[in-house]
Amino acid sequence: MTASIPANSDESVTGPAAGDARKRMPWSIGEIDFAAIDVARVRPDRELFYLLVSASFVESGSDTYAGNLATYYAANPEASGWLAEHWEAEELQHGLALRRYVEHVWPEFDWERGYARFFEEYRHTCSVDNFEPSEALEMAARCVVETGTAALYRSLEQASDEPVLRDLTRRIANDEVRHYKHFYRYFNTFNGVERLGRWRVLGALVRRLLEIKNEDAEIALRNVLRIERGTEDIPQKDVRRLNSRVSAVIRRNLPIEMTVKMLLRPLDLHAGVERAIRKPLVALVSRAVLH
Ligand SMILES: [Fe+2]
Ligand SMILES: [Fe+2]
């Protein structure tokens, strides 16, 4: 666990890198040694099962979101190009790698069917109508999403002592932090033109934080339960109960300092102000962060 936003070796964050380097993925799924998974160590952990399936569902649905975002930023070829060529491929790789992990450890779970049902519901939440009203505000909101995923995977890394899962979640978390840095840089670019006040930026951060809590996790968990129970009819109270059960695992392992720093960064606050709002924010983050 680290107290600051981790440095990353990928220099493309700070400017256009040359040719092939821009096309390369930071790691490939072939580097994950699925055969080496210590199945006995992780299989009994039901919370981890729900968390990993949920994460694999949401990540695997990234292409719909990425396509809409690239369209939203079409007037900025650098941003839309990065979204379409890098960000989308990396998020989809997260989904595939997590899926492979789940299928290896819990082969009885019908991932394909669960995902199809999940996506039926999830795709309605990926509409451009749900985007923030300005380019800078949507970039600020994307910083929240990447903060959430970075925190989630750092937390999952801490939550398990299974070596392959730790390796995988560390790689994904590093990607999410790098994504954050891209979105943060784009936020500053757009905000240089829009010149938004802090309250408007704060509004976008809070709105997206609440959305993460309410939508993605519940849709994912509802559809894991549908497959598990073999029925369409899943009471909302069961979804809520399961959500708080698995959220507790995340909260226990959350890198809170990193999370809060990442969340506050787009507000560009003075140090004294940041200290004053830190405590309530830590409480909010603890409840809200589930990818
Ligand atoms: Fe991801
Ligand atoms: Fe990401």
Side-chain angles (χ1 to χ4, degrees):
M1 193 179 296
T2 172
S4 62
I5 297 171
N8 198 290
S9 59
D10 185 336
E11 295 303 323
S12 65
V13 172
T14 54
D20 283 348
R22 282 180 69 83
K23 303 280 179 202
R24 270 205 306 267
M25 305 271 273
W27 53 278
S28 86
I29 204 157
E31 292 167 40
I32 308 297
D33 192 359
F34 293 102
I37 296 173
D38 187 345
V39 174
R41 195 180 283 198
V42 67
R43 190 174 157 79
D45 192 334
R46 209 58 194 165
E47 278 90 8
L48 217 46
F49 163 76
Y50 290 118
L51 285 164
L52 293 175
V53 177
S54 297
S56 72
F57 281 179
V58 176
E59 297 274 12
S60 300
S62 298
D63 49 352
T64 310
Y65 220 108
N68 288 342
L69 259 190
T71 305
Y72 190 73
Y73 288 105
N76 184 308
E78 197 208 326
S80 60
W82 175 73
L83 287 165
E85 288 167 36
H86 295 269
W87 183 66
E88 177 180 340
E90 290 180 22
E91 300 294 14
L92 289 176
Q93 177 166 273
H94 298 167
L96 184 59
L98 290 163
R99 172 186 177 174
R100 293 270 177 273
Y101 191 92
V102 166
E103 288 178 333
H104 195 94
V105 177
W106 298 279
E108 69 283 3
F109 181 76
D110 189 342
W111 191 94
E112 192 98 54
R113 206 156 60 82
Y115 178 69
R117 186 65 190 86
F118 159 81
F119 191 70
E120 200 37 48
E121 243 183 294
Y122 180 70
R123 64 191 177 89
H124 301 295
T125 71
C126 299
S127 135
V128 178
D129 300 342
N130 295 340
F131 286 4
E132 287 292 323
S134 88
E135 289 169 316
L137 287 174
E138 181 56 30
M139 285 299 180
R142 294 310 312 181
C143 287
V144 174
V145 177
E146 299 293 344
T147 300
T149 54
L152 170 73
Y153 292 111
R154 291 254 185 273
S155 177
L156 285 172
E157 184 190 345
Q158 296 299 317
S160 173
D161 56 0
E162 199 290 298
V164 179
L165 184 59
R166 295 194 66 145
D167 173 45
L168 177 59
T169 48
R170 190 180 309 122
R171 287 170 193 255
I172 297 179
N174 289 342
D175 286 350
E176 307 297 14
V177 171
R178 189 164 34 77
H179 295 166
Y180 173 94
K181 290 179 179 178
H182 279 276
F183 284 118
Y184 178 65
R185 185 166 61 86
Y186 291 131
F187 162 72
N188 281 323
T189 304
F190 288 115
N191 200 27
V193 179
E194 295 179 26
R195 305 218 160 272
L196 300 163
R198 288 197 177 94
W199 287 110
R200 291 202 63 198
V201 178
L202 180 65
L205 300 181
V206 171
R207 273 192 296 279
R208 195 57 56 97
L209 205 51
L210 295 174
E211 259 178 46
I212 293 175
K213 177 180 161 61
N214 292 335
E215 292 203 284
D216 295 12
E218 285 196 357
I219 296 174
L221 291 171
R222 183 178 307 114
N223 288 291
V224 181
L225 288 175
R226 280 192 171 123
I227 298 301
E228 249 191 334
R229 297 180 184 178
T231 172
E232 268 291 298
D233 183 28
I234 304 295
Q236 182 60 10
K237 67 172 171 40
D238 291 8
V239 178
R240 291 256 157 84
R241 196 179 300 138
L242 181 58
N243 198 5
S244 49
R245 188 178 136 201
V246 298
S247 297
V249 175
I250 298 305
R251 278 200 301 277
R252 272 202 299 278
N253 296 284
L254 197 70
I256 292 183
E257 214 170 320
M258 179 193 88
T259 306
V260 169
K261 274 193 172 155
M262 289 171 79
L263 279 175
L264 291 180
R265 210 167 159 189
L267 296 174
D268 195 24
L269 298 169
H270 298 299
V273 179
E274 186 178 323
R275 270 196 302 277
I277 63 169
R278 207 171 171 115
K279 206 174 167 188
L281 196 59
V282 164
L284 181 67
V285 170
S286 304
R287 282 199 300 274
V289 175
L290 184 65
H291 181 70

